[in-house]
mmCIF file of all heavy atoms in Angstrom:
data_model
loop_
_atom_site.group_PDB
_atom_site.id
_atom_site.type_symbol
_atom_site.label_atom_id
_atom_site.label_comp_id
_atom_site.label_asym_id
_atom_site.label_seq_id
_atom_site.Cartn_x
_atom_site.Cartn_y
_atom_site.Cartn_z
ATOM 1 N N ALA A 1351 10.236 43.129 -8.379
ATOM 2 C CA ALA A 1351 10.588 42.613 -7.029
ATOM 3 C C ALA A 1351 12.022 42.812 -6.731
ATOM 4 O O ALA A 1351 12.456 42.921 -5.582
ATOM 5 C CB ALA A 1351 10.108 41.284 -6.882
ATOM 6 N N VAL A 1352 12.920 42.553 -7.782
ATOM 7 C CA VAL A 1352 14.443 42.603 -7.637
ATOM 8 C C VAL A 1352 14.891 44.084 -7.769
ATOM 9 O O VAL A 1352 16.032 44.370 -7.232
ATOM 10 C CB VAL A 1352 15.085 41.646 -8.647
ATOM 11 C CG1 VAL A 1352 16.523 41.663 -8.578
ATOM 12 C CG2 VAL A 1352 14.528 40.252 -8.339
ATOM 13 N N ARG A 1353 14.137 44.984 -8.367
ATOM 14 C CA ARG A 1353 14.724 46.296 -8.697
ATOM 15 C C ARG A 1353 15.112 47.083 -7.427
ATOM 16 O O ARG A 1353 16.166 47.716 -7.481
ATOM 17 C CB ARG A 1353 13.633 47.115 -9.488
ATOM 18 C CG ARG A 1353 14.173 48.398 -10.083
ATOM 19 C CD ARG A 1353 13.172 49.117 -10.846
ATOM 20 N NE ARG A 1353 12.751 48.358 -12.067
ATOM 21 C CZ ARG A 1353 11.407 47.937 -12.207
ATOM 22 N NH1 ARG A 1353 10.475 48.406 -11.362
ATOM 23 N NH2 ARG A 1353 11.146 47.248 -13.337
ATOM 24 N N PRO A 1354 14.343 46.982 -6.365
ATOM 25 C CA PRO A 1354 14.888 47.830 -5.194
ATOM 26 C C PRO A 1354 16.215 47.311 -4.759
ATOM 27 O O PRO A 1354 17.099 48.022 -4.315
ATOM 28 C CB PRO A 1354 13.837 47.503 -4.115
ATOM 29 C CG PRO A 1354 12.555 47.263 -4.922
ATOM 30 C CD PRO A 1354 12.940 46.525 -6.174
ATOM 31 N N LEU A 1355 16.514 46.024 -4.791
ATOM 32 C CA LEU A 1355 17.816 45.488 -4.411
ATOM 33 C C LEU A 1355 18.898 45.887 -5.382
ATOM 34 O O LEU A 1355 19.985 46.269 -4.985
ATOM 35 C CB LEU A 1355 17.827 43.943 -4.367
ATOM 36 C CG LEU A 1355 17.059 43.276 -3.127
ATOM 37 C CD1 LEU A 1355 17.011 41.827 -3.337
ATOM 38 C CD2 LEU A 1355 17.855 43.654 -1.843
ATOM 39 N N SER A 1356 18.606 45.847 -6.637
ATOM 40 C CA SER A 1356 19.651 46.263 -7.602
ATOM 41 C C SER A 1356 19.976 47.697 -7.523
ATOM 42 O O SER A 1356 21.086 48.179 -7.893
ATOM 43 C CB SER A 1356 19.227 45.889 -9.082
ATOM 44 O OG SER A 1356 18.041 46.538 -9.526
ATOM 45 N N GLN A 1357 19.084 48.550 -7.076
ATOM 46 C CA GLN A 1357 19.289 49.914 -6.918
ATOM 47 C C GLN A 1357 20.277 50.174 -5.711
ATOM 48 O O GLN A 1357 20.962 51.309 -5.645
ATOM 49 C CB GLN A 1357 18.005 50.758 -6.753
ATOM 50 C CG GLN A 1357 17.241 50.857 -8.049
ATOM 51 C CD GLN A 1357 15.864 51.381 -7.802
ATOM 52 O OE1 GLN A 1357 15.356 51.614 -6.683
ATOM 53 N NE2 GLN A 1357 15.075 51.679 -8.914
ATOM 54 N N ARG A 1358 20.217 49.272 -4.739
ATOM 55 C CA ARG A 1358 20.956 49.584 -3.566
ATOM 56 C C ARG A 1358 22.376 48.720 -3.469
ATOM 57 O O ARG A 1358 23.243 49.223 -2.762
ATOM 58 C CB ARG A 1358 20.160 49.017 -2.247
ATOM 59 C CG ARG A 1358 18.897 50.078 -1.913
ATOM 60 C CD ARG A 1358 18.225 49.424 -0.768
ATOM 61 N NE ARG A 1358 17.178 50.443 -0.369
ATOM 62 C CZ ARG A 1358 16.028 50.565 -0.951
ATOM 63 N NH1 ARG A 1358 15.718 49.937 -2.065
ATOM 64 N NH2 ARG A 1358 15.152 51.432 -0.516
ATOM 65 N N LEU A 1359 22.419 47.695 -4.352
ATOM 66 C CA LEU A 1359 23.585 46.883 -4.270
ATOM 67 C C LEU A 1359 24.513 47.455 -5.339
ATOM 68 O O LEU A 1359 24.118 47.718 -6.560
ATOM 69 C CB LEU A 1359 23.250 45.472 -4.540
ATOM 70 C CG LEU A 1359 22.505 44.750 -3.358
ATOM 71 C CD1 LEU A 1359 22.171 43.294 -3.843
ATOM 72 C CD2 LEU A 1359 23.346 44.698 -2.135
ATOM 73 N N PRO A 1360 25.829 47.523 -5.069
ATOM 74 C CA PRO A 1360 26.802 47.832 -6.078
ATOM 75 C C PRO A 1360 26.989 46.653 -7.069
ATOM 76 O O PRO A 1360 26.948 45.535 -6.710
ATOM 77 C CB PRO A 1360 27.952 48.219 -5.358
ATOM 78 C CG PRO A 1360 27.983 47.326 -4.171
ATOM 79 C CD PRO A 1360 26.493 47.254 -3.786
ATOM 80 N N THR A 1361 27.313 47.023 -8.351
ATOM 81 C CA THR A 1361 27.727 45.985 -9.324
ATOM 82 C C THR A 1361 29.267 45.864 -9.269
ATOM 83 O O THR A 1361 29.921 46.925 -9.210
ATOM 84 C CB THR A 1361 27.200 46.296 -10.717
ATOM 85 O OG1 THR A 1361 27.745 47.663 -11.141
ATOM 86 C CG2 THR A 1361 25.689 46.374 -10.723
ATOM 87 N N LEU A 1362 29.705 44.536 -9.365
ATOM 88 C CA LEU A 1362 31.180 44.519 -9.347
ATOM 89 C C LEU A 1362 31.560 43.939 -10.675
ATOM 90 O O LEU A 1362 31.060 42.847 -11.111
ATOM 91 C CB LEU A 1362 31.501 43.415 -8.301
ATOM 92 C CG LEU A 1362 31.255 43.877 -6.834
ATOM 93 C CD1 LEU A 1362 31.500 42.794 -5.880
ATOM 94 C CD2 LEU A 1362 32.043 45.161 -6.470
ATOM 95 N N GLY A 1363 32.289 44.719 -11.416
ATOM 96 C CA GLY A 1363 32.691 44.342 -12.778
ATOM 97 C C GLY A 1363 31.570 44.068 -13.803
ATOM 98 O O GLY A 1363 31.619 43.225 -14.641
#
Side-chain angles (χ1 to χ4, degrees):
V1352 175
R1353 191 176 300 123
L1355 284 173
S1356 62
Q1357 291 171 349
R1358 288 179 175 77
L1359 293 174
T1361 58
L1362 300 172

